PDB file of all heavy atoms in Angstrom:
ATOM      1  N   GLY A 285     121.758 107.363 102.623  1.00 98.00           N
ATOM      2  CA  GLY A 285     120.361 107.061 102.891  1.00 98.00           C
ATOM      3  C   GLY A 285     119.895 107.542 104.259  1.00 98.00           C
ATOM      4  O   GLY A 285     118.830 108.153 104.390  1.00 98.00           O
ATOM      5  N   SER A 286     120.695 107.254 105.280  1.00 98.00           N
ATOM      6  CA  SER A 286     120.296 107.660 106.643  1.00 98.00           C
ATOM      7  C   SER A 286     120.094 109.172 106.704  1.00 98.00           C
ATOM      8  O   SER A 286     119.151 109.656 107.346  1.00 98.00           O
ATOM      9  CB  SER A 286     121.364 107.258 107.661  1.00 98.00           C
ATOM     10  OG  SER A 286     121.572 105.869 107.645  1.00 98.00           O
ATOM     11  N   TYR A 318     113.185  99.386 108.762  1.00 96.00           N
ATOM     12  CA  TYR A 318     114.583  99.800 108.918  1.00 96.00           C
ATOM     13  C   TYR A 318     114.768 101.090 108.118  1.00 96.00           C
ATOM     14  O   TYR A 318     114.426 101.145 106.941  1.00 96.00           O
ATOM     15  CB  TYR A 318     115.561  98.731 108.408  1.00 96.00           C
ATOM     16  CG  TYR A 318     116.984  99.235 108.461  1.00 96.00           C
ATOM     17  CD1 TYR A 318     117.677  99.259 109.671  1.00 96.00           C
ATOM     18  CD2 TYR A 318     117.617  99.745 107.326  1.00 96.00           C
ATOM     19  CE1 TYR A 318     118.961  99.775 109.748  1.00 96.00           C
ATOM     20  CE2 TYR A 318     118.907 100.269 107.396  1.00 96.00           C
ATOM     21  CZ  TYR A 318     119.567 100.274 108.610  1.00 96.00           C
ATOM     22  OH  TYR A 318     120.834 100.792 108.688  1.00 96.00           O
ATOM     23  N   HIS A 319     115.305 102.119 108.758  1.00 97.00           N
ATOM     24  CA  HIS A 319     115.464 103.407 108.075  1.00 97.00           C
ATOM     25  C   HIS A 319     116.848 104.009 108.203  1.00 97.00           C
ATOM     26  O   HIS A 319     117.044 105.168 107.831  1.00 97.00           O
ATOM     27  CB  HIS A 319     114.400 104.394 108.592  1.00 97.00           C
ATOM     28  CG  HIS A 319     112.996 103.955 108.298  1.00 97.00           C
ATOM     29  ND1 HIS A 319     112.447 104.039 107.041  1.00 97.00           N
ATOM     30  CD2 HIS A 319     112.047 103.376 109.079  1.00 97.00           C
ATOM     31  CE1 HIS A 319     111.211 103.552 107.068  1.00 97.00           C
ATOM     32  NE2 HIS A 319     110.952 103.136 108.289  1.00 97.00           N
ATOM     33  N   GLU A 389     108.607 101.965 104.763  1.00 98.00           N
ATOM     34  CA  GLU A 389     109.092 101.423 103.493  1.00 98.00           C
ATOM     35  C   GLU A 389     107.871 100.865 102.759  1.00 98.00           C
ATOM     36  O   GLU A 389     107.202  99.984 103.293  1.00 98.00           O
ATOM     37  CB  GLU A 389     110.086 100.287 103.736  1.00 98.00           C
ATOM     38  CG  GLU A 389     111.364 100.691 104.423  1.00 98.00           C
ATOM     39  CD  GLU A 389     111.957  99.513 105.211  1.00 98.00           C
ATOM     40  OE1 GLU A 389     111.478  99.235 106.320  1.00 98.00           O
ATOM     41  OE2 GLU A 389     112.880  98.876 104.690  1.00 98.00           O
ATOM     42  N   ASP A 423     110.131 105.622 102.420  1.00 98.00           N
ATOM     43  CA  ASP A 423     111.563 105.348 102.350  1.00 98.00           C
ATOM     44  C   ASP A 423     111.761 104.320 101.230  1.00 98.00           C
ATOM     45  O   ASP A 423     111.513 103.129 101.422  1.00 98.00           O
ATOM     46  CB  ASP A 423     112.045 104.818 103.705  1.00 98.00           C
ATOM     47  CG  ASP A 423     113.520 104.445 103.701  1.00 98.00           C
ATOM     48  OD1 ASP A 423     114.114 104.375 102.608  1.00 98.00           O
ATOM     49  OD2 ASP A 423     114.063 104.211 104.796  1.00 98.00           O
ATOM     50  N   ILE A 425     114.659 103.841  99.707  1.00 98.00           N
ATOM     51  CA  ILE A 425     116.107 103.700  99.552  1.00 98.00           C
ATOM     52  C   ILE A 425     116.464 102.300  99.037  1.00 98.00           C
ATOM     53  O   ILE A 425     117.339 102.146  98.192  1.00 98.00           O
ATOM     54  CB  ILE A 425     116.804 104.025 100.888  1.00 98.00           C
ATOM     55  CG1 ILE A 425     116.598 105.520 101.208  1.00 98.00           C
ATOM     56  CG2 ILE A 425     118.293 103.675 100.847  1.00 98.00           C
ATOM     57  CD1 ILE A 425     116.936 105.912 102.624  1.00 98.00           C
ATOM     58  N   ALA A 426     115.749 101.282  99.531  1.00 98.00           N
ATOM     59  CA  ALA A 426     116.010  99.915  99.067  1.00 98.00           C
ATOM     60  C   ALA A 426     115.205  99.568  97.821  1.00 98.00           C
ATOM     61  O   ALA A 426     115.664  98.831  96.949  1.00 98.00           O
ATOM     62  CB  ALA A 426     115.695  98.914 100.175  1.00 98.00           C
ATOM     63  N   LYS A 452     120.872 104.279  97.875  1.00 98.00           N
ATOM     64  CA  LYS A 452     121.413 103.014  97.384  1.00 98.00           C
ATOM     65  C   LYS A 452     121.685 102.955  95.865  1.00 98.00           C
ATOM     66  O   LYS A 452     122.763 103.323  95.445  1.00 98.00           O
ATOM     67  CB  LYS A 452     120.534 101.858  97.852  1.00 98.00           C
ATOM     68  CG  LYS A 452     120.687 101.630  99.359  1.00 98.00           C
ATOM     69  CD  LYS A 452     120.283 100.251  99.804  1.00 98.00           C
ATOM     70  CE  LYS A 452     120.843  99.938 101.168  1.00 98.00           C
ATOM     71  NZ  LYS A 452     119.933 100.214 102.287  1.00 98.00           N
TER      72      LYS A 452
HETATM   73  C1  PLP B 766     120.039 101.082 103.515  1.00 53.10           C
HETATM   74  C2  PLP B 766     118.793 101.757 103.955  1.00 53.10           C
HETATM   75  C3  PLP B 766     118.834 102.975 104.659  1.00 53.10           C
HETATM   76  C4  PLP B 766     120.117 103.630 105.088  1.00 53.10           C
HETATM   77  O1  PLP B 766     120.915 104.035 104.034  1.00 53.10           O
HETATM   78  P1  PLP B 766     122.489 104.304 104.268  1.00 53.10           P
HETATM   79  O2  PLP B 766     122.980 104.774 102.938  1.00 53.10           O
HETATM   80  O3  PLP B 766     123.075 103.005 104.719  1.00 53.10           O
HETATM   81  O4  PLP B 766     122.596 105.349 105.323  1.00 53.10           O
HETATM   82  C5  PLP B 766     117.622 103.560 105.002  1.00 53.10           C
HETATM   83  N1  PLP B 766     116.448 102.997 104.651  1.00 53.10           N
HETATM   84  C6  PLP B 766     116.371 101.838 103.972  1.00 53.10           C
HETATM   85  C7  PLP B 766     115.039 101.274 103.599  1.00 53.10           C
HETATM   86  C8  PLP B 766     117.546 101.174 103.603  1.00 53.10           C
HETATM   87  O5  PLP B 766     117.470 100.000 102.955  1.00 53.10           O
END
Side-chain angles (χ1 to χ4, degrees):
S286 301
Y318 175 78
H319 297 285
E389 295 153 281
D423 177 348
I425 294 166
K452 289 201 162 95

